[in-house]
Amino acid sequence: MTIVTRFAPSPTGFLHIGGARTALFNWLYARHNGGKFLLRIEDTDRERSTDAAIEAIFEGMKWLGLDWDEEPIFQFSRRERHADIARQLLAEGKAYYCYASKEELAEMRDQARAESRPPAYDGRWRDRDPSEAPAGVQPVVRFKSPNDGVTLVRDLVQGDVTFANEQLDDMILLRADGTPTYMLSVVVDDHDMNVTHIIRGDDHLTNAARQQQLIEAIGWAVPEYAHIPLIHGPDGAKLSKRHGALGVEAYRDMGYLPEALRNYLLRLGWSHGDDEVISTEQAIDWFNIENIGKSAARFDFAKLENLNGIYIRNADDAYLAALIKPIIERMTGTDLDPNHLKLIEKAMNGLKERAKSVNSLAESSLFLVAERPLVLDDKAKSLLNEEACAVLQRLADRLESLAEWDKDLVENAVRAAAEAEGLKLGKIAQPLRAALTGTTVSPGIFDVLDVLGRDQSIGRIRDAIPG
RNA sequence: GUCCCCUUCGUCUAUCGGUUAGGACGCCAGAUUUUCAUUCUGGAAAGAGGAGUUCGAUUCUCCUAGGGGAUACCA
């Protein structure tokens, strides 16, 4: 039997980080087993579902590299099929019409709580004759769930979890307006899509018991369940917008590489011995449900950032250059010409060693494309005092006389200059850096000279010298 | 309130009855270095509490505490 997993977000907002992890686990499990990973948009809440959110989910999945098989299923479009099942249940006496008003429902809840009983619908219409129905009230359809006994959910992550059936009331299958509820829809869709493994957040654990009852009543096979722990914010509380509950596109905008985020998310709640940096191939190869932890994990930006740095350092230069191109263009307000892009690519090796985000990478490469004369920051200005400028003047002359702009020749010239001046290399390198980059932080100074080339290097040095 | 789940360094985790409780991030100190990083070396840092089971519990059981989730005509 082929393994089929699915990710089933409701399009009421962006693809948040918790959803992304759920999607990742489903994707990995399917890929690991050579199965299928399906996408289903749970858009039955017409009020809150938006096209923008659907688009954001697709985009987020693509950005993370989580490709799904087959066309996405839109749950709302299957409402007739869902309702059919409800009607079938009705015909079989496994469901019934309920005419209780919202006020009655609220009353039941309050009373149950007051009496320390589970707050549940009391089943008042369960066995009543339809002829008793009040006039003018559109009924809902409720599932006739077992009153006693227990429901055992055999969860791959949580283990065997038992729920007393009296704890679970008769849930609504069809609303008064005839539309199916989530509980009915998921069960029918997962069945029709041949989903074998349901991997989702453990906030659905109780739902699993209810859904299992429904599945059994219909007579279908119960799928495997794996309820994974939720992600918490740094303070241990549920992830909110304040922490990391941002859309994945927010992480992209903060300069995180999708592969770094994916690695981080994978290690959050799942482990493979002491392995930390895990490639996609390894992840697919190693992923299993057994190694998913049972406790909630806190989101830690510091670790994400560290991983991001590792992935940036190991990334391909051209790939990174292409990534930062639009960022630089946004920063400078002008389009990058091909020569500049080549320059950036050439400098990338030294640049990426120092970056912890794509954004900071873009920022640190700005000096490469800056127009002369450079705008110097304060620290750079203070480095270029009279004495330093005199040194740079002589250095510029020395560089000017170089037969060719060869990296080694340039380095030798600078070192020779330092020696001639009786200065340590640092004493000459820092003012030089200030003149060449306008800042006090950059890749190695010889790399900078090499990448910038003769004209820019000498020009920038001369620009920095007053008069 | 009721039901369910969770609990090892600050954080993510390893350990599947016997370990000096390991690794990673972060932090501290040092080395390398033309800046910043990188890299390297070293360090501080943990079994929530209490009972049991056992020759022996971080590991198994129970209780307590703390945290989380679910309790909708949302998904």
Side-chain angles (χ1 to χ4, degrees):
Chain A
M1 186 173 71
T2 62
I3 302 282
V4 179
T5 65
R6 46 67 158 185
F7 176 53
S10 54
T12 53
F14 41 48
L15 174 61
H16 64 87
I17 205 72
R21 189 178 65 140
T22 303
L24 173 65
F25 283 16
N26 275 287
W27 181 80
L28 283 173
Y29 194 69
R31 294 291 172 260
H32 174 82
N33 290 292
K36 283 197 287 190
F37 170 61
L38 307 179
L39 182 59
R40 182 173 74 230
I41 303 296
E42 307 215 319
D43 55 351
T44 53
D45 185 343
R46 305 311 291 169
E47 294 285 297
R48 299 194 298 148
S49 297
T50 66
D51 288 345
I54 292 172
E55 201 46 45
I57 289 165
F58 288 162
E59 282 307 308
M61 299 274 292
K62 284 181 199 158
W63 180 70
L64 273 175
L66 305 180
D67 55 319
W68 56 91
D69 301 308
E70 304 179 4
E71 285 302 302
I73 302 286
F74 288 84
Q75 194 159 57
F76 184 68
S77 70
R78 296 181 32 84
R79 59 192 178 282
E80 271 314 308
R81 162 71 174 155
H82 304 152
D84 281 346
I85 297 294
R87 283 190 280 269
Q88 177 193 320
L89 252 17
L90 222 34
E92 292 170 355
K94 292 170 178 170
Y96 61 95
Y97 288 109
C98 167
Y99 297 84
S101 67
K102 300 219 183 205
E103 293 71 38
E104 283 178 84
L105 260 20
E107 207 173 291
M108 279 180 240
R109 270 193 294 272
D110 291 347
Q111 193 166 347
R113 186 181 273 251
E115 293 171 15
S116 280
R117 285 186 293 107
Y121 169 71
D122 63 8
R124 59 183 59 180
W125 285 94
R126 191 175 165 110
D127 299 308
R128 247 204 263 189
D129 193 276
S131 64
E132 293 178 62
V137 176
Q138 280 297 313
V140 298
V141 173
R142 282 187 187 268
F143 173 60
K144 206 177 269 187
S145 69
N147 281 331
D148 40 40
V150 297
T151 296
L152 172 68
V153 176
R154 318 212 72 156
D155 192 272
L156 264 20
V157 172
Q158 307 287 335
D160 287 356
V161 185
T162 323
F163 294 89
N165 286 338
E166 57 174 6
Q167 204 63 226
L168 279 8
D169 65 359
D170 291 350
M171 61 186 161
I172 293 176
L173 265 21
L174 251 34
R175 301 188 185 93
D177 66 3
T179 59
T181 59
Y182 158 80
M183 287 292 181
L184 208 215
S185 302
V186 238
V187 163
V188 177
D189 285 345
D190 283 335
H191 170 267
D192 290 356
M193 290 162 75
N194 295 312
V195 174
T196 59
H197 293 255
I198 296 178
I199 304 171
R200 61 191 357 172
D202 69 7
D203 50 338
H204 283 290
L205 189 57
T206 320
N207 290 339
R210 315 184 88 113
Q211 288 161 16
Q212 196 172 303
Q213 290 181 341
L214 224 199
I215 292 167
E216 281 162 357
I218 301 172
W220 289 336
V222 177
E224 299 285 348
Y225 287 110
H227 287 90
I228 63 178
L230 267 16
I231 300 176
H232 288 177
D235 57 0
K238 195 179 178 180
L239 208 50
S240 72
K241 279 184 191 161
R242 197 160 47 80
H243 321 104
L246 307 162
V248 291
E249 79 285 345
Y251 289 85
R252 181 196 60 208
D253 294 345
M254 283 186 276
Y256 293 108
L257 250 27
E259 43 271 48
L261 184 60
R262 219 166 51 193
N263 193 150
Y264 177 73
L265 253 20
L266 174 64
R267 275 291 286 107
L268 205 56
W270 179 86
S271 59
H272 184 265
D274 284 341
D275 294 304
E276 295 288 347
V277 181
I278 300 166
S279 72
T280 304
E281 294 68 37
Q282 289 170 319
I284 290 173
D285 191 25
W286 294 341
F287 188 75
N288 60 358
I289 292 178
E290 301 86 80
N291 285 353
I292 298 176
K294 294 178 80 174
S295 54
R298 300 187 190 203
F299 195 90
D300 181 20
F301 272 100
K303 186 146 184 173
L304 206 210
E305 200 152 273
N306 171 266
L307 268 174
N308 204 40
I310 292 172
Y311 275 88
I312 288 177
R313 264 171 261 140
N314 292 333
D316 176 71
D317 292 349
Y319 166 72
L320 291 174
L323 270 182
I324 65 174
K325 180 173 181 281
I327 303 175
I328 292 173
E329 288 174 342
R330 206 174 55 232
M331 284 171 161
T332 60
T334 49
D335 285 354
L336 275 186
D337 64 64
N339 287 335
H340 277 156
L341 198 61
K342 266 185 219 143
L343 216 59
I344 289 169
E345 220 179 294
K346 191 175 177 192
M348 192 52 77
N349 199 40
L351 250 19
K352 68 184 181 185
E353 198 88 339
R354 299 165 164 74
K356 57 190 190 337
S357 81
V358 175
N359 293 351
S360 65
L361 186 64
E363 203 169 328
S364 64
S365 63
L366 242 29
F367 79 92
L368 290 168
V369 301
E371 294 288 334
R372 285 179 52 200
L374 262 47
V375 179
L376 309 182
D377 69 22
D378 290 344
K379 283 185 195 161
K381 271 184 208 152
S382 65
L383 268 174
L384 292 165
N385 53 30
E386 215 174 306
E387 197 187 332
C389 285
V391 172
L392 286 185
Q393 176 84 266
R394 292 188 285 276
L395 175 64
D397 294 341
R398 193 183 279 262
L399 290 174
E400 198 117 69
S401 68
L402 248 33
E404 62 173 314
W405 199 259
D406 170 84
K407 199 178 173 206
D408 291 336
L409 285 180
V410 173
E411 173 164 353
N412 289 339
V414 175
R415 289 191 185 276
E419 202 161 326
E421 302 278 351
L423 295 171
K424 283 173 117 174
L425 186 56
K427 282 289 176 193
I428 196 167
Q430 267 312 81
L432 181 55
R433 172 171 286 111
L436 292 176
T437 70
T439 73
T440 52
V441 176
S442 82
I445 198 67
F446 303 123
D447 289 331
V448 172
L449 282 163
D450 182 44
V451 172
L452 244 24
R454 174 180 218 128
D455 292 350
Q456 277 291 326
S457 296
I458 295 175
R460 289 183 185 199
I461 295 171
R462 298 231 188 266
D463 287 345
I465 302 165

